[in-house]
Amino acid sequence: MPTGISEPGTGPMPRPNDGAWLETIALFETIREGNQPAAHRLLSSSAKQAAVLGGLFSMLGVFLRGEDASDRAKLDHFIEASHRAGPPPAFGARPFLPPTDS
C-alpha cells in the first residue's frame, strides 16, 4: 500500500562493513525479542550508527516485501491500526518482559 510520500533521500546511507552488519543483525534480533532497552544500548554504543540503521532498513525492507498476500494484509491492518493508535511510549521506556513459554 504505497503512501504517496515515499521519495528517495538525498544520498545513500553508509554501507555496513562486516562489524556493522553483525550489529545490524543483533539489533534486528533484539527488536524481535521486544527488548527495547538492549536495542537502544546496542544502537547507542555503535561506532557506525548510520550504517547499522541503513542495514536495518534494508533487512526490514527485504523481510516485509517477502511476505505473502495474507501477511501483507496483516501488515496493512497493522499500519492502519498504528495510524489510529497514535505514537507509542518512548522507545526503551517500558521494561523488557521476556516471553513466557505457553
Side-chain angles (χ1 to χ4, degrees), residues 59-78:
M59 281 184 78
L60 287 171
V62 169
F63 175 77
L64 295 171
R65 285 191 309 273
E67 296 299 297
D68 64 25
S70 65
D71 288 332
R72 273 186 256 133
K74 288 179 189 176
L75 288 171
D76 289 343
H77 178 72
F78 177 76

Side-chain angles (χ1 to χ4, degrees), residues 18-80:
D18 288 343
W21 183 241
L22 292 175
E23 288 182 24
T24 297
I25 295 167
L27 181 63
F28 187 89
E29 289 177 317
T30 306
I31 292 169
R32 179 185 67 175
E33 293 167 358
N35 192 342
Q36 292 181 352
H40 186 259
R41 281 192 310 274
L42 179 63
L43 185 58
S44 296
S45 66
S46 176
K48 304 266 186 186
Q49 288 182 1
V52 171
L53 280 176
L56 181 64
F57 296 159
S58 294
M59 281 184 78
L60 287 171
V62 169
F63 175 77
L64 295 171
R65 285 191 309 273
E67 296 299 297
D68 64 25
S70 65
D71 288 332
R72 273 186 256 133
K74 288 179 189 176
L75 288 171
D76 289 343
H77 178 72
F78 177 76
I79 291 168
E80 291 167 10

